Amino acid sequence: MNVKEVRDLSNEELVKEVTSLKEELYNLRFAQATGSLDNPARMKDIRKTIARIKTVMTERANAENK
């Protein structure tokens, strides 16, 4: 998910997306611990997407406070 797609979502959708991505990341960490992880690069992608979403959420919160 790129930044343009993230900016098009509403705040509620962003919160839901972060929640689902964190759950997926948890499952991938569990798979890595058991040795059954197929694509370890997916963990990095999920972490970056979560960071993008949180950045957009922070920008929106700062814009509201001004």
Side-chain angles (χ1 to χ4, degrees), residues 2-15:
N2 60 22
V3 176
K4 185 176 180 181
E5 293 172 348
V6 171
R7 291 189 192 279
D8 291 339
L9 298 175
S10 69
N11 288 339
E12 295 82 24
E13 291 172 327
L14 291 177
V15 171

Side-chain angles (χ1 to χ4, degrees), residues 33-46:
T34 60
S36 63
L37 183 62
D38 295 331
N39 186 7
R42 178 73 178 133
M43 292 176 67
K44 182 178 178 182
D45 293 338
I46 292 174

